[in-house]
Amino acid sequence: QSALTQPPSASGSPGQSVTISCTGTSSDVGSYNYVSWYQQRPGKAPKLMIYEVTKRPSGVPDRFSGSKSGNTASLTVSGLQAEDEAVYYCSSYAGSNSLGVFGGGTKLTVL
Amino acid sequence: EVQLVESGGGLVQPGGSLRLSCAASGLTVSSNSMGWVRQIPGKGLEWVSIIYVSGSTYLADSVKGRFTISRHNSKNTLFLQMNSLRLEDTGLFYCARQSPSYHYAVDVWGQGTTVTVSS
């Protein structure tokens, strides 16, 4: 199973919005509404930010939102804050006989 | 509080073996889909293996025939037996719970244990 494709980096100034893309195939992102996004700060374990494409777990600010079109999912961070600086990973379910697949990660820098 | 604590990582020579453990508290391992996710230094995440509530297991193609995932119900612990280790197995191994509420998302992560395969 090939990894999902993410841009290696993204950036924005405080208060701005940034969108990170995650491109898969018709076998994963395109076929299932089971895309999740994780935030990983240095030295820490990943943290779930978005699940099932658009949903936020309790405690995640509504500045974080997700969407999907075709084989590409996106994470948008609105009203950027310094604490949002981290690496963001997407992941997708890829069928019952698969482990699922992650993206390579996008380092978000708040300028 | 739900917590996963990994142990068992270390430095091992190519061809060697290690057994990773993941002790769970606040959740029952046998009632959850649990697995191992590897992070290669400076790189991304990769599912290594998962065991479902039913007991069905899946392994990444890169570790089939070498790794085995299992659980000990009374100890509430998840294991990953790693044999015939290769240089490319090096990484930070996270124990993870696949959420029972959020389809196919990981909502609980351990702090990770490092495996270094080197001669």
Side-chain angles (χ1 to χ4, degrees):
Chain A
Q1 193 72 39
S2 299
L4 306 176
T5 301
Q6 297 181 237
S9 63
S11 63
S13 300
Q16 288 186 332
S17 294
V18 171
T19 297
I20 299 170
S21 63
C22 169
T23 301
T25 69
S26 57
S27 297
D28 39 62
V29 175
S31 288
Y32 307 99
N33 288 323
Y34 298 135
V35 175
S36 49
W37 289 89
Y38 302 88
Q39 177 192 68
Q40 187 177 37
R41 295 192 172 110
K44 300 295 186 182
K47 174 188 175 183
L48 179 65
M49 304 300 284
I50 296 287
Y51 67 98
E52 294 175 25
V53 179
T54 62
K55 300 175 183 178
R56 284 186 311 276
S58 174
V60 173
D62 59 6
R63 302 184 294 103
F64 291 85
S65 62
S67 63
K68 191 186 87 167
S69 177
N71 295 338
T72 298
S74 298
L75 172 72
T76 298
V77 186
S78 304
L80 270 175
Q81 299 182 4
E83 67 198 49
D84 300 332
E85 190 161 288
V87 178
Y88 291 84
Y89 294 94
C90 62
S91 179
S92 176
Y93 177 67
S96 59
N97 294 319
S98 168
L99 285 169
V101 63
F102 284 97
T106 298
K107 180 173 173 53
L108 175 60
T109 300
V110 181
L111 302 171
Chain B
E1 180 189 8
V2 176
Q3 193 173 15
L4 301 174
V5 179
E6 303 97 332
S7 60
L11 174 63
V12 62
Q13 292 186 336
S17 297
L18 280 177
R19 188 194 199 202
L20 305 185
S21 299
C22 170
S25 56
L27 67 85
T28 301
V29 168
S30 61
S31 299
N32 285 274
S33 297
M34 304 286 299
W36 296 92
V37 176
R38 173 171 60 196
Q39 182 161 37
I40 298 171
K43 295 192 177 181
L45 302 166
E46 174 193 29
W47 273 107
V48 174
S49 186
I50 191 166
I51 182 167
Y52 292 106
V53 173
S54 65
S56 297
T57 63
Y58 288 91
L59 291 163
D61 288 343
S62 60
V63 305
K64 282 180 181 175
R66 301 188 298 121
F67 291 12
T68 304
I69 189 170
S70 63
R71 63 193 180 201
H72 195 298
N73 294 347
S74 62
K75 293 183 178 180
N76 207 31
T77 300
L78 181 73
F79 300 103
L80 185 68
Q81 178 67 46
M82 305 187 295
N83 299 329
S84 303
L85 282 161
R86 304 169 179 170
L87 297 175
E88 58 266 29
D89 293 323
T90 292
L92 179 62
F93 283 71
Y94 289 105
C95 178
R97 179 180 81 167
Q98 197 173 73
S99 175
S101 303
Y102 314 144
H103 288 97
Y104 306 109
V106 175
D107 64 347
V108 182
W109 299 77
Q111 85 287 352
T113 187
T114 299
V115 172
T116 303
V117 184
S118 175
S119 55

